[in-house]
Amino acid sequence: MTRTQKLWLTVATIFQLLTAAIHSLSYFFDTIPANETEKQFLDLFNNYRTDMGAGFQPSSAEMFLCFSISFTLLFVFGGLVNITLLKSQAALSLVKTIFGIQTFIYGVIFIATALLTFLPPIICTGLIFASCLMTFLYLTKKENKLALYAQKIR
């Protein structure tokens, strides 16, 4: 891998782990209602339990927490995969394939986040998507140059 490719891979990794860390901060703070409507909403969100069948009766807050933990772990997983790729000096084709997958996944997450959430997660997921895309493009560019060079030699 070239220095530029390693740089973009490192940038993507930093953004993934930083986003996971920032997102996990929300687990340590309680939401304080600003008015009576918010107080009623938070009470229902935390305490109203829907019968989902088979003995499951989660509150909306419990389901939201589960999705939130999954979101954080997705970014931790991506960052750890990237660290493994850097440390193991994996084959360029494997790194390109993994970053193709990450670019697609984080692109979909970015679109959903941009449409459904608010500014901080939009910025974080946008930076992750952009850095994964740049890594993928640099990996593809290098591989294409090698393929063209190999054709010239023949």
Side-chain angles (χ1 to χ4, degrees):
M1 249 189 299
T2 66
R3 287 172 44 129
T4 305
Q5 292 167 336
K6 285 182 182 178
L7 171 70
W8 280 108
L9 198 151
T10 303
V11 167
T13 303
I14 290 169
F15 284 146
Q16 288 168 334
L17 295 176
L18 188 60
T19 298
I22 291 168
H23 191 264
S24 67
L25 291 176
S26 67
Y27 306 136
F28 302 107
F29 299 101
D30 289 330
T31 305
I32 300 169
N35 55 47
E36 191 58 38
T37 304
E38 286 183 15
K39 184 178 179 185
Q40 182 182 10
F41 171 75
L42 286 174
D43 182 53
L44 289 170
F45 189 70
N46 290 318
N47 300 316
Y48 182 77
R49 299 191 170 278
T50 306
D51 187 2
M52 300 278 184
F56 291 100
Q57 296 179 335
S59 69
S60 294
E62 291 168 342
M63 289 191 296
F64 188 78
L65 178 61
C66 180
F67 290 126
S68 182
I69 291 169
S70 299
F71 191 73
T72 300
L73 289 175
L74 174 66
F75 292 117
V76 169
F77 178 73
L80 293 177
V81 166
N82 296 346
I83 289 170
T84 303
L85 291 173
L86 279 169
K87 296 224 181 242
S88 69
Q89 298 178 347
L92 195 61
S93 61
L94 175 64
V95 177
K96 179 185 169 198
T97 301
I98 289 174
F99 263 89
I101 294 167
Q102 284 192 21
T103 301
F104 174 76
I105 296 295
Y106 292 123
V108 171
I109 290 171
F110 172 62
I111 290 168
T113 302
L115 294 174
L116 302 172
T117 68
F118 52 101
L119 200 53
I122 293 170
I123 292 169
C124 289
T125 56
L127 289 171
I128 291 169
F129 171 63
S131 60
C132 285
L133 180 61
M134 291 301 294
T135 304
F136 181 72
L137 292 175
Y138 273 103
L139 289 167
T140 304
K141 181 179 174 183
K142 178 67 175 172
E143 198 169 87
N144 287 341
K145 283 184 180 178
L146 289 174
L148 290 172
Y149 182 73
Q151 286 177 352
K152 286 181 183 178
I153 292 175
R154 293 181 196 169

